[in-house]
mmCIF file of all heavy atoms in Angstrom:
data_model
loop_
_atom_site.group_PDB
_atom_site.id
_atom_site.type_symbol
_atom_site.label_atom_id
_atom_site.label_comp_id
_atom_site.label_asym_id
_atom_site.label_seq_id
_atom_site.Cartn_x
_atom_site.Cartn_y
_atom_site.Cartn_z
ATOM 1 N N MET A 929 132.641 54.970 158.972
ATOM 2 C CA MET A 929 131.585 55.015 157.957
ATOM 3 C C MET A 929 130.309 54.366 158.535
ATOM 4 O O MET A 929 130.368 53.233 159.015
ATOM 5 C CB MET A 929 132.093 54.232 156.735
ATOM 6 C CG MET A 929 131.265 54.402 155.527
ATOM 7 S SD MET A 929 132.135 53.553 154.202
ATOM 8 C CE MET A 929 131.634 54.521 152.843
ATOM 9 N N THR A 930 129.211 55.077 158.456
ATOM 10 C CA THR A 930 128.002 54.538 159.063
ATOM 11 C C THR A 930 127.574 53.232 158.421
ATOM 12 O O THR A 930 127.543 53.101 157.201
ATOM 13 C CB THR A 930 126.828 55.500 158.942
ATOM 14 O OG1 THR A 930 126.983 56.199 157.728
ATOM 15 C CG2 THR A 930 126.750 56.469 160.106
ATOM 16 N N GLY A 931 127.277 52.272 159.219
ATOM 17 C CA GLY A 931 126.744 51.019 158.720
ATOM 18 C C GLY A 931 127.777 50.160 157.986
ATOM 19 O O GLY A 931 127.413 49.175 157.406
ATOM 20 N N GLU A 932 129.017 50.558 158.073
ATOM 21 C CA GLU A 932 130.080 49.809 157.361
ATOM 22 C C GLU A 932 130.072 48.343 157.675
ATOM 23 O O GLU A 932 130.044 47.478 156.803
ATOM 24 C CB GLU A 932 131.431 50.482 157.681
ATOM 25 C CG GLU A 932 132.622 49.668 157.241
ATOM 26 C CD GLU A 932 133.929 50.205 157.776
ATOM 27 O OE1 GLU A 932 133.996 51.355 158.170
ATOM 28 O OE2 GLU A 932 134.896 49.428 157.845
ATOM 29 N N PHE A 933 130.030 48.077 158.965
ATOM 30 C CA PHE A 933 130.162 46.652 159.379
ATOM 31 C C PHE A 933 128.929 45.823 158.987
ATOM 32 O O PHE A 933 129.023 44.702 158.542
ATOM 33 C CB PHE A 933 130.421 46.537 160.885
ATOM 34 C CG PHE A 933 131.770 47.058 161.221
ATOM 35 C CD1 PHE A 933 131.893 48.205 161.984
ATOM 36 C CD2 PHE A 933 132.930 46.439 160.760
ATOM 37 C CE1 PHE A 933 133.160 48.730 162.263
ATOM 38 C CE2 PHE A 933 134.158 46.930 161.005
ATOM 39 C CZ PHE A 933 134.300 48.111 161.816
ATOM 40 N N ASP A 934 127.773 46.472 159.184
ATOM 41 C CA ASP A 934 126.532 45.792 158.806
ATOM 42 C C ASP A 934 126.545 45.430 157.328
ATOM 43 O O ASP A 934 126.143 44.328 156.939
ATOM 44 C CB ASP A 934 125.312 46.665 159.133
ATOM 45 C CG ASP A 934 125.116 46.803 160.594
ATOM 46 O OD1 ASP A 934 125.712 45.995 161.352
ATOM 47 O OD2 ASP A 934 124.377 47.720 161.013
ATOM 48 N N LEU A 935 126.994 46.436 156.541
ATOM 49 C CA LEU A 935 126.986 46.205 155.105
ATOM 50 C C LEU A 935 127.981 45.114 154.725
ATOM 51 O O LEU A 935 127.670 44.259 153.888
ATOM 52 C CB LEU A 935 127.344 47.512 154.378
ATOM 53 C CG LEU A 935 126.231 48.537 154.439
ATOM 54 C CD1 LEU A 935 126.699 49.873 153.822
ATOM 55 C CD2 LEU A 935 124.986 48.055 153.707
ATOM 56 N N ILE A 936 129.154 45.138 155.288
ATOM 57 C CA ILE A 936 130.156 44.108 154.980
ATOM 58 C C ILE A 936 129.612 42.743 155.372
ATOM 59 O O ILE A 936 129.717 41.755 154.621
ATOM 60 C CB ILE A 936 131.498 44.397 155.669
ATOM 61 C CG1 ILE A 936 132.160 45.598 154.972
ATOM 62 C CG2 ILE A 936 132.418 43.193 155.678
ATOM 63 C CD1 ILE A 936 133.269 46.187 155.742
ATOM 64 N N ARG A 937 129.019 42.723 156.556
ATOM 65 C CA ARG A 937 128.449 41.412 157.048
ATOM 66 C C ARG A 937 127.392 40.953 156.064
ATOM 67 O O ARG A 937 127.418 39.813 155.630
ATOM 68 C CB ARG A 937 127.889 41.628 158.452
ATOM 69 C CG ARG A 937 127.517 40.280 159.104
ATOM 70 C CD ARG A 937 127.287 40.491 160.606
ATOM 71 N NE ARG A 937 128.467 40.911 161.331
ATOM 72 C CZ ARG A 937 128.514 42.000 162.101
ATOM 73 N NH1 ARG A 937 127.496 42.793 162.269
ATOM 74 N NH2 ARG A 937 129.628 42.334 162.779
ATOM 75 N N ARG A 938 126.528 41.878 155.698
ATOM 76 C CA ARG A 938 125.410 41.476 154.843
ATOM 77 C C ARG A 938 125.862 41.002 153.481
ATOM 78 O O ARG A 938 125.392 40.010 152.956
ATOM 79 C CB ARG A 938 124.481 42.701 154.692
ATOM 80 C CG ARG A 938 123.325 42.422 153.787
ATOM 81 C CD ARG A 938 121.970 43.116 154.159
ATOM 82 N NE ARG A 938 122.060 44.284 155.041
ATOM 83 C CZ ARG A 938 121.633 45.477 154.694
ATOM 84 N NH1 ARG A 938 121.105 45.719 153.502
ATOM 85 N NH2 ARG A 938 121.654 46.472 155.569
ATOM 86 N N TYR A 939 126.800 41.737 152.893
ATOM 87 C CA TYR A 939 127.086 41.387 151.473
ATOM 88 C C TYR A 939 128.296 40.540 151.219
ATOM 89 O O TYR A 939 128.427 39.938 150.177
ATOM 90 C CB TYR A 939 127.207 42.728 150.667
ATOM 91 C CG TYR A 939 125.902 43.453 150.624
ATOM 92 C CD1 TYR A 939 125.754 44.727 151.243
ATOM 93 C CD2 TYR A 939 124.801 42.886 150.015
ATOM 94 C CE1 TYR A 939 124.601 45.367 151.206
ATOM 95 C CE2 TYR A 939 123.594 43.589 149.987
ATOM 96 C CZ TYR A 939 123.486 44.794 150.606
ATOM 97 O OH TYR A 939 122.260 45.456 150.571
ATOM 98 N N LEU A 1019 134.420 54.253 149.120
ATOM 99 C CA LEU A 1019 133.063 54.563 148.616
ATOM 100 C C LEU A 1019 132.709 56.001 149.054
ATOM 101 O O LEU A 1019 132.987 56.439 150.154
ATOM 102 C CB LEU A 1019 132.034 53.630 149.276
ATOM 103 C CG LEU A 1019 132.230 52.136 149.102
ATOM 104 C CD1 LEU A 1019 131.334 51.347 150.041
ATOM 105 C CD2 LEU A 1019 131.993 51.764 147.671
ATOM 106 N N ALA A 1022 127.899 54.924 152.100
ATOM 107 C CA ALA A 1022 127.467 53.540 152.309
ATOM 108 C C ALA A 1022 126.137 53.318 151.636
ATOM 109 O O ALA A 1022 125.076 53.528 152.242
ATOM 110 C CB ALA A 1022 127.433 53.218 153.797
ATOM 111 N N ASP A 1023 126.183 52.946 150.373
ATOM 112 C CA ASP A 1023 124.973 52.840 149.531
ATOM 113 C C ASP A 1023 124.610 51.344 149.408
ATOM 114 O O ASP A 1023 125.305 50.587 148.692
ATOM 115 C CB ASP A 1023 125.280 53.454 148.220
ATOM 116 C CG ASP A 1023 124.134 53.364 147.208
ATOM 117 O OD1 ASP A 1023 123.239 52.517 147.426
ATOM 118 O OD2 ASP A 1023 124.167 54.114 146.252
ATOM 119 N N ALA A 1024 123.558 50.897 150.108
ATOM 120 C CA ALA A 1024 123.222 49.465 150.192
ATOM 121 C C ALA A 1024 122.928 48.933 148.793
ATOM 122 O O ALA A 1024 123.347 47.824 148.452
ATOM 123 C CB ALA A 1024 122.021 49.268 151.084
ATOM 124 N N LEU A 1027 126.180 48.467 146.900
ATOM 125 C CA LEU A 1027 126.969 47.344 147.458
ATOM 126 C C LEU A 1027 126.344 46.020 147.137
ATOM 127 O O LEU A 1027 127.039 45.022 146.885
ATOM 128 C CB LEU A 1027 127.077 47.492 148.957
ATOM 129 C CG LEU A 1027 128.208 48.404 149.427
ATOM 130 C CD1 LEU A 1027 128.081 48.761 150.897
ATOM 131 C CD2 LEU A 1027 129.591 47.742 149.126
ATOM 132 N N THR A 1050 137.464 49.223 154.363
ATOM 133 C CA THR A 1050 136.422 50.058 153.754
ATOM 134 C C THR A 1050 136.614 51.506 154.239
ATOM 135 O O THR A 1050 136.726 51.753 155.464
ATOM 136 C CB THR A 1050 135.037 49.548 154.175
ATOM 137 O OG1 THR A 1050 134.962 48.133 153.913
ATOM 138 C CG2 THR A 1050 133.944 50.231 153.396
ATOM 139 N N ARG A 1052 135.919 55.952 153.216
ATOM 140 C CA ARG A 1052 135.076 56.903 152.495
ATOM 141 C C ARG A 1052 135.966 57.757 151.572
ATOM 142 O O ARG A 1052 137.036 58.208 151.979
ATOM 143 C CB ARG A 1052 134.324 57.772 153.471
ATOM 144 C CG ARG A 1052 133.168 58.521 152.825
ATOM 145 C CD ARG A 1052 132.570 59.506 153.803
ATOM 146 N NE ARG A 1052 131.865 58.908 154.925
ATOM 147 C CZ ARG A 1052 130.519 58.622 154.895
ATOM 148 N NH1 ARG A 1052 129.815 58.929 153.843
ATOM 149 N NH2 ARG A 1052 129.981 58.090 155.958
#
Side-chain angles (χ1 to χ4, degrees):
M929 192 174 209
T930 34
E932 169 190 338
F933 293 112
D934 290 345
L935 289 174
I936 287 165
R937 190 166 297 126
R938 177 146 20 121
Y939 294 116
L1019 303 169
D1023 176 343
L1027 276 167
T1050 309
R1052 196 189 290 268

